[in-house]
Amino acid sequence: MPAHRMKNLKRMVSRLREKWLPGCGKSPSAEVLEFGGLTMGTTYGIVLHGLPAGTRIEVLKDAVHGAVHDIDRRMSTHRKDSELSRFNAHRSREPFTVSAGTAEVFRISGRVSEASGGAFDITVGPLVNAWGFGPERFSPVPDDATIAALREKVGWHLVEVRDDNTLVKKHPDLLCDLSAVAKGYGVDKAAEALDQLGADHYLVEVGGELRTKGVNPHGRPWQLAIERPGDGEQQAQVVVGLSGLSLATSGDYRIFRVSDGKRLSHEIDPRSGCPVKDSVASASVIHPSCAWADAYATALMVLGPEEGIAFAEKNRLAAYLIERKATGEFAGRQTKAFGQYSSGG
Ligand code: ADP
Ligand code: MG
């Protein structure tokens, strides 16, 4: 695994603990279980308590592990044999059958694309690769002619999802990338696996995307921190208390490239074909479904501070943006719906 990836993983592991801030008052309930592992090029972590009597820990671990790995196997662009990679390699307009889960992620993606006027777009794959954020890294920065040519093969309406779970390409060279939504979907599937085993109180995380149920071990809503951007010590910008909801954050301060002294964000604006301008350092969304929260958070990064907040208000999203000012300082902006969950910021 490349060094920059590994460093990322270490930061992610410490994040779960940092996000699970201790509550005041009550001492934690007796048995708190924490476990995790590696998936989707990042880490996952679970905090659980109040398990039904007789629940075997190994069963819980296997269920979560199975759920997240299943999503990775189906939706990764880094695995040549994933369902998604096979669909990408299928250079034809003939229908391609996928599993119900993959079709569902394509449907969610299409809805968020439509709502955001194409800011969120999973067909952005050729541009993601050209800018060096795909499976093969460190490509040179593309010129205008290359970008213009690639944009011919990008557009969310170029893929059709049919009711029988077949996908149809309207351009044979279409390359889809589910990286902006699959982690959130993996969180949802891990949470559903825990639900089936009778778990009532948990926090699930995959690569910084989170979903909660019940209360934390102190008997309060799970206390989750949205990180203040920066290279140094991790600090909370704002803390939210969630129970039964998900929180997803997209940010340009952890994964980016530098070209001619400028930061290149890994979120691409499909409307220009270029990395988004770095005025939003991070965008966070609270939503019942982590897949939707993940997709919306990416859409807000692309839309930028003004359009992003207007879009989030119009769609009644609980959203929080951290804007990078020209002075280099950071400023938080939140929607009305976000206020009910937050303290600080
Ligand atoms: P993170 O991985 O930091 O949580 P996101 O959820 O925003 O961030 O996902 C970013 C990834 O999604 C990029 O690395 C790229 O693979 C893909 N992507 C880039 N731009 C877009 C876009 N406009 N719409 C959908 N996916 C995108
Ligand atoms: Mg996302």
Side-chain angles (χ1 to χ4, degrees):
M1 185 178 299
H4 68 275
R5 221 50 187 165
M6 205 58 220
K7 196 165 149 222
N8 237 354
L9 291 184
K10 287 189 185 141
R11 295 192 64 167
M12 290 293 192
V13 175
S14 65
R15 276 177 81 194
L16 178 66
R17 282 172 230 290
E18 296 224 353
K19 284 180 174 235
W20 173 50
L21 304 172
C24 18
K26 287 192 208 165
S27 57
S29 62
E31 250 206 288
V32 182
L33 181 67
E34 287 188 54
F35 59 89
L38 299 175
T39 191
M40 299 187 188
T42 182
T43 57
Y44 69 91
I46 312 293
V47 184
L48 270 171
H49 69 102
L51 293 168
T55 312
R56 283 189 37 234
I57 287 162
E58 291 312 316
V59 174
L60 291 163
K61 286 187 179 172
D62 287 351
V64 168
H65 187 84
V68 290
H69 281 277
D70 179 47
I71 303 308
D72 190 35
R73 266 196 304 273
R74 285 194 257 167
M75 303 180 198
S76 169
T77 48
H78 293 261
R79 290 170 179 267
K80 287 210 163 57
D81 60 343
S82 70
E83 209 168 38
L84 180 64
S85 293
R86 284 188 289 108
F87 173 60
N88 283 337
H90 168 79
R91 306 214 158 194
S92 148
R93 291 184 176 83
E94 288 302 308
F96 184 92
T97 303
V98 292
S99 60
T102 300
E104 191 185 349
V105 173
F106 270 78
R107 281 189 198 101
I108 294 170
S109 300
R111 298 267 300 276
V112 176
S113 296
E114 191 169 11
S116 65
F120 182 85
D121 187 343
I122 56 169
T123 69
V124 82
L127 293 166
V128 170
N129 291 342
W131 285 100
F133 294 107
E136 287 136 39
R137 291 190 172 234
F138 307 116
S139 53
V141 167
D143 57 24
D144 291 350
T146 308
I147 295 167
L150 293 175
R151 286 183 64 195
E152 299 284 309
K153 322 180 204 177
V154 174
W156 62 272
H157 49 272
L158 294 175
V159 60
E160 186 193 339
V161 194
R162 295 195 175 154
D163 290 343
D164 61 355
N165 297 337
T166 55
L167 306 176
V168 181
K169 288 184 180 181
K170 296 188 183 155
H171 190 306
D173 292 342
L174 206 66
L175 277 187
C176 295
D177 177 353
L178 299 178
S179 307
V181 55
K183 274 186 284 165
Y185 190 74
V187 169
D188 286 335
K189 292 294 128 180
E192 283 166 22
L194 291 172
D195 290 345
Q196 281 180 1
L197 294 167
D200 288 330
H201 305 283
Y202 58 69
L203 171 63
V204 174
E205 184 202 40
V206 178
E209 321 301 6
L210 298 134
R211 178 157 156 166
T212 63
K213 186 180 184 188
V215 291
N216 73 8
H218 301 273
R220 301 175 65 209
W222 294 90
Q223 304 293 298
L224 310 176
I226 294 174
E227 212 181 304
R228 181 168 299 169
D231 298 328
E233 188 88 339
Q234 287 176 309
Q235 286 185 338
Q237 166 85 13
V238 61
V239 176
V240 294
L242 300 185
S243 180
L245 292 170
S246 302
L247 171 70
T249 301
S250 287
D252 79 346
Y253 51 94
R254 218 173 282 114
I255 305 174
F256 60 89
R257 293 179 64 192
V258 178
S259 169
D260 288 340
K262 283 200 216 132
R263 298 161 66 95
L264 296 181
S265 168
H266 72 135
E267 272 95 10
I268 309 293
D269 188 338
R271 302 164 301 179
S272 67
C274 297
V276 298
K277 302 269 182 318
D278 63 358
S279 55
V280 180
S282 80
S284 301
V285 173
I286 295 169
H287 194 277
S289 148
C290 200
W292 283 85
D294 195 358
Y296 274 135
T298 302
L300 295 182
M301 281 296 294
V302 175
L303 289 170
E306 305 300 332
E307 245 189 296
I309 285 285
F311 166 78
E313 289 289 11
K314 189 174 148 225
N315 289 278
R316 293 168 201 249
L317 295 178
Y320 191 92
L321 299 189
I322 302 180
E323 202 182 338
R324 189 181 280 113
K325 296 283 188 190
T327 55
E329 283 161 13
F330 294 108
R333 292 173 73 152
Q334 66 184 55
T335 60
K336 284 191 205 75
F338 186 87
Q340 61 191 302
Y341 306 110
S342 65
S343 54

